[in-house]
Amino acid sequence: MKKIFAIVLFSLAFAVSTVSARTDLCFKNEGLKEVQTVSLTLTGDKIEGTFEVSSYDESTAHEIFEFTGTMAGSLLTINFRGTVPYERAPKCAKIVWTLNKTTLKIPIYGKNYKTNKY
């Protein structure tokens, strides 16, 4: 009887620790032409999530891109299934995002319309 009680207690403790180690996050960027939403789930050092791109025009369909990855400190190494939903810098081999307490920094290669530089 004591063994069964110990096994049940251990299983409950393991289940609670597994659920509490999971964190769901959502970040949104409302740009000039489109809205980009990143939803991700952190489980230990593993990452799963979606990158959604939608237009302000209601008649245009939105696109959803799934990704997985790993976390080391505040750096997230991302692997998209299929195509990457934004333009990366030339000669950029890996996709690395930076996660802070309230922000997610995603390096996107594009033109800055204030400075007219890429």
Side-chain angles (χ1 to χ4, degrees), residues 84-103:
V84 179
Y86 56 88
E87 191 173 348
R88 294 182 290 166
K91 300 179 183 177
C92 181
K94 291 195 301 185
I95 299 173
V96 179
W97 297 348
T98 305
L99 177 65
N100 295 322
K101 289 184 180 183
T102 58
T103 60

Side-chain angles (χ1 to χ4, degrees), residues 38-54:
V38 176
S39 301
L40 55 95
T41 302
L42 300 172
T43 308
D45 65 340
K46 303 292 182 199
I47 302 166
E48 289 185 351
T50 58
F51 190 105
E52 181 179 341
V53 179
S54 59

